[in-house]
Amino acid sequence: MSRRDFLLRKFLLSLVTIFVVIVINFMLFRVLPGDPVRSVIGRNVRISAETQQALREQFGLDKPIFPDQFIDTIGQWAQGNLGISWSLRRPVSEVLMSKLGNTVLLIGLGQVLAIFLGVTLGLLAGWKRKTAIDVGALTFSLVAWAIPTFWLGIIFLAAGSAWFGLPTAGIMSPENTGKPLMTILPDLARHLFLPTLTLTILYLGEYMLIMRSSILEVLSEDYILTAKAKGMSDWQVLWRHALRNAMLPIVTLIALNLGFTVSGAIYIETVFSYDGLGKLFQTALVKQDYPLLQGAFLLLAVSVIIANMAADILYAVLDPRVKES
Amino acid sequence: MNENWALFKRNLFEFWKAFRRNKLGLLGGFLVLTAILAATFAPLLTPYAPTEVIRDVNGRGLTFAPPSVHAPLGTDDAGRDIWSQLIYGARVSLAVGFLAGFIAMFIGSLFGILAGYFGGRIDNLLMRVTDVLLVIPDLPLMLVLVATLRQMDLHVSPLVVLVFVIGLLYWTSTARLIRSQVLTIKERQYVARSRAIGAGHVHIIRKHILPQIMPLIVANTVLIISTAILIESGLAFLGLGDPTQPSWGAMLNFAFDRSAVTNGAWWFYLPPGFAIVWVTLGCVLLGNVLEDMLNPRLTAHHLESNQNMIAIQKREGE
């Protein structure tokens, strides 16, 4: 398959997936009992029947659900109009945008740390297979996989606040809001420490495992034996020949992990009352704020799909084998 | 039929002989088995009903009491025994996990066999569906699905909703695994011969394909069950469990909501988590060992000591 075909296929797949997400999102909230006009007017029951009917006509709710309403809704979403949150009484898109930065910060920090540590430890574990390092790394990733994310977060929360006096909620102390970034960095770091730690441990295991099996596969190749026979040291072999080839699966894993990353953010932000999209999602769930839930799902799903496509493009650039036809 | 049964028994015995030498596999089996036994014999193992409030001499509820002789794992915010809730919670967590796992396994195996065996359109459909499902973030999808299904008047327990949502979303990896296995099996000579002497599709799938992939299905089911239990605990923690029949995840949801952390009530939030780890770790160990025994992995390693390499070469030459 040529690189162009590969990318075209991935692009089409992303489009189809986004379409599926939109259909799910549209259908799900149409099957709910009750009247969708409420998602526009909020829970204000005092609006008269005539006004409600007028609104219904204005928003096209008197038309058939498919195709009129469906196309209309997609048009609205495409313009960034996701309705009004029932519980916060603000436009959903505005609420989502105000939380996006915090989540990107948390996920980004956790991912970078996990990739760095995971690749290093996986490399060591694969190189020194069946030694204490390897067994330790495998045990760690196994246990980390079996531990529910939110429970690990609860334990860190309890231990961190009781023994180290770390803050238990939020992204910064209330008195620091609005101050210049440089002066509040230490406070920010104290708030970010526990959520980032939990997130890193959550992702670390899988990167380590993939890196380990990937390096094992590379080390069984004949060119490694040749390099060794030339008299290169283990380190030289690892650095010059093994690492680069073994890193490729990590790129795909980062892409595949994005959905998993979002799941982790929902749990961790809930446990640490971290003011991001994950916490917002959970709040919308508990308060049955459907416009907010719908908007948050749309944003999370579409970002993950687009990020996945970006990773596929990166992979095609990095892996020369994709070029061959 | 009798021959098949004898063959099955012999294979099972051979398998057990190999399995019992594997310490990790045995540990996994032990963890899973104890949890199943605890769930089965819950009434015999618990001093109280899970909803019963323990009272002191003045008749007041014994709230947030640390572990003592009255309550081996202490009490929760309403004065109920944590140990009893934990053991009864095993029933809910395991039931949801196993049922969801079986649904996922059934759909995945069926789809995988059909796609692998018949190829063509159905195979294409499977691959596209899994491609799409793989990219949509699973937890947000499940959360909106469960949240809307609960709002509809379905007149079923929230646990049934959880079972179906988890089961209907987690079959894709199984389907792909089974598909690739079926693809290699159907190319083998005896399948071609069987077809040449006029065997039908149903006969070939039942007699030649299914027995070959059955061990793989079993190993994969154990792994899916562990995922399902983890997912259930997460959804229940986020408030989507059944409050009248709390699973371990729902217990953690209560503990977190009723500020067990700020009250220092570690006996409230630690045990349910340990229980989840107990079962999922057990399933993962068991599943991985089963999978490893069925799919031998790479043996060559050119940076290990020479002695080892010779040993491997010898083994290959045998």
Side-chain angles (χ1 to χ4, degrees), chain B residues 18 27 39 58 61 72 80 91 122 131-132 157 161 163-164 176-177 179 183 209 216 229 234 238 244 248 290 312 318:
Chain B
L27 175 66
N58 302 321
R80 292 167 301 197
R91 291 185 159 184
I122 185 162
D131 276 344
V132 168
S157 150
V161 175
V163 165
F164 277 95
R176 285 201 165 191
L177 188 75
R179 170 188 172 269
L183 277 179
I209 308 255
L216 192 66
I229 290 176
L238 292 175
T244 61
W248 293 327
L290 292 179
I312 288 163
E318 270 169 13

Side-chain angles (χ1 to χ4, degrees), chain A residues 13 28 32-33 126 129 142 145-146 148 150-151 158 216 219-221 228 234 263 267 271 281 288 290 297 304 308, chain B residues 135 138-139 141 143 148 151 226 230 233-234 237 252 256 269-270 273-274 280 284-285 299-304:
Chain A
L13 180 70
L28 270 184
L32 281 177
R129 183 166 68 159
L142 203 67
W145 191 89
F150 54 91
W151 187 60
L216 279 179
L219 290 183
S220 71
E221 299 276 356
K228 187 77 181 138
D234 276 12
S263 314
Y267 291 132
V271 169
F281 204 96
Q288 304 188 342
Y290 291 107
F297 175 62
V304 167
N308 245 300
Chain B
V135 187
D138 53 357
L139 185 66
L141 178 62
L143 290 176
T148 21
Q151 276 304 299
S226 72
L230 266 182
S233 76
F237 172 72
L252 285 168
F256 190 68
Y269 62 80
L270 286 184
F274 276 121
T280 48
V284 172
L285 288 174
T299 43
H301 189 304
H302 294 316
L303 289 186
E304 262 174 11

Side-chain angles (χ1 to χ4, degrees), chain A residues 142-209:
Chain A
L142 203 67
V143 175
W145 191 89
I147 292 182
T149 315
F150 54 91
W151 187 60
L152 188 66
I154 292 177
I155 292 176
F156 282 158
L157 181 71
S161 58
W163 298 336
F164 303 104
L166 287 168
T168 56
I171 183 166
M172 60 178 84
S173 306
E175 68 270 16
N176 277 340
T177 28
K179 289 193 187 163
L181 186 64
M182 287 313 287
T183 58
I184 58 165
L185 269 182
D187 184 46
L188 205 61
R190 276 164 52 84
H191 280 81
L192 273 167
F193 180 71
L194 289 176
T196 311
L197 182 69
T198 321
L199 212 56
T200 308
I201 290 180
L202 169 68
Y203 304 142
L204 179 60
E206 204 174 354
Y207 285 119
M208 197 160 70
L209 278 187

Side-chain angles (χ1 to χ4, degrees), chain B residues 275-292:
Chain B
I276 297 168
V277 174
W278 182 283
V279 177
T280 48
L281 198 61
C283 286
V284 172
L285 288 174
L286 193 63
N288 278 343
V289 166
L290 292 179
E291 210 175 48
D292 274 355

Side-chain angles (χ1 to χ4, degrees), chain A residues 106-312:
Chain A
L106 179 65
I107 289 179
L109 270 177
Q111 281 282 5
V112 169
L113 280 172
I115 293 169
F116 179 73
L117 289 173
V119 166
T120 315
L121 290 173
L123 186 71
L124 283 177
W127 176 31
K128 300 284 180 195
R129 183 166 68 159
K130 290 173 188 164
T131 61
I133 303 174
D134 188 26
V135 175
L138 284 179
T139 314
F140 170 82
S141 53
L142 203 67
V143 175
W145 191 89
I147 292 182
T149 315
F150 54 91
W151 187 60
L152 188 66
I154 292 177
I155 292 176
F156 282 158
L157 181 71
S161 58
W163 298 336
F164 303 104
L166 287 168
T168 56
I171 183 166
M172 60 178 84
S173 306
E175 68 270 16
N176 277 340
T177 28
K179 289 193 187 163
L181 186 64
M182 287 313 287
T183 58
I184 58 165
L185 269 182
D187 184 46
L188 205 61
R190 276 164 52 84
H191 280 81
L192 273 167
F193 180 71
L194 289 176
T196 311
L197 182 69
T198 321
L199 212 56
T200 308
I201 290 180
L202 169 68
Y203 304 142
L204 179 60
E206 204 174 354
Y207 285 119
M208 197 160 70
L209 278 187
I210 297 290
M211 189 61 196
R212 177 183 176 275
S213 61
S214 167
I215 202 90
L216 279 179
E217 196 172 326
V218 170
L219 290 183
S220 71
E221 299 276 356
D222 287 338
Y223 63 82
I224 298 292
L225 193 60
T226 314
K228 187 77 181 138
K230 280 197 306 192
M232 291 173 101
S233 73
D234 276 12
W235 272 113
Q236 282 173 317
V237 175
L238 283 175
W239 185 248
R240 293 207 194 144
H241 296 284
L243 184 63
R244 252 176 248 178
N245 289 312
M247 278 293 283
L248 267 179
I250 296 286
V251 178
T252 0
L253 187 66
I254 296 171
L256 278 178
N257 258 353
L258 282 164
F260 184 57
T261 309
V262 170
S263 314
I266 293 178
Y267 291 132
I268 289 170
E269 290 184 5
T270 303
V271 169
F272 291 99
S273 307
Y274 183 92
D275 195 21
L277 285 177
K279 172 81 184 135
L280 188 73
F281 204 96
Q282 190 262 345
T283 315
L285 201 66
V286 172
K287 293 194 171 159
Q288 304 188 342
D289 185 343
Y290 291 107
L292 191 57
L293 203 57
Q294 196 176 19
F297 175 62
L298 195 67
L299 176 68
L300 289 178
V302 172
S303 342
V304 167
I305 294 165
I306 291 176
N308 245 300
M309 195 172 67
D312 279 330

